Amino acid sequence: MNIVPLLHRVLVKPVDYKEFNKDLQRARNLGLEIPELEEMKRAQASVDQGEVVAIGETAYRDYNVPCPIKVGDIVNYARFSGKLIEDNGIKYVVLNDEDCLVVVKE
């Protein structure tokens, strides 16, 4: 990976909508391939969950607390926030630290 978040940014790899959507999972398990439609691209843009890939050096310092997230955590973030970027065909979202809303625990 060649992307390093600066300052208070957090780099997140969004969950793939096809794995997020239970109906698409069932169709795939039955061996059905559903072509990617424009509607699915919009749905992918609305995904608000992903894996933390990298954390900027000053993330959460303004709040005077230890960094509450770590690389590998699954987080939900503010919908439609951040900047979508791509590296080697993999899509990421660069978020401000305050846009990470919750850590998802198993």
Side-chain angles (χ1 to χ4, degrees):
M1 178 179 62
N2 300 317
I3 303 169
V4 177
L6 301 176
L7 302 172
H8 60 279
R9 305 303 192 297
V10 177
L11 185 65
V12 174
K13 182 180 176 203
V15 173
D16 185 357
Y17 174 74
K18 293 172 188 165
E19 295 182 23
F20 199 68
N21 184 299
K22 302 291 185 210
D23 293 330
L24 288 175
Q25 280 183 346
R26 279 193 291 266
R28 195 171 31 195
N29 290 342
L30 292 171
L32 301 173
E33 275 302 315
I34 299 174
E36 188 163 312
L37 306 170
E38 191 63 33
E39 178 181 305
M40 291 172 82
K41 290 178 184 175
R42 283 193 299 272
Q44 179 64 47
S46 72
V47 169
D48 61 355
Q49 186 177 73
E51 178 182 351
V52 176
V53 177
I55 303 167
E57 289 184 27
T58 62
Y60 298 98
R61 280 198 188 154
D62 290 347
Y63 305 107
N64 295 320
V65 297
C67 186
I69 61 173
K70 63 184 182 309
V71 172
D73 280 349
I74 302 297
V75 296
N76 278 55
Y77 49 89
R79 188 165 288 193
F80 301 113
S81 63
K83 168 78 174 150
L84 288 170
I85 58 174
E86 191 170 328
D87 181 43
N88 294 325
I90 301 172
K91 294 181 182 176
Y92 298 96
V93 178
V94 180
L95 302 164
N96 289 329
D97 55 6
E98 74 239 10
D99 290 331
C100 292
L101 306 175
V102 299
V103 176
V104 179
K105 301 285 185 182
E106 291 294 321

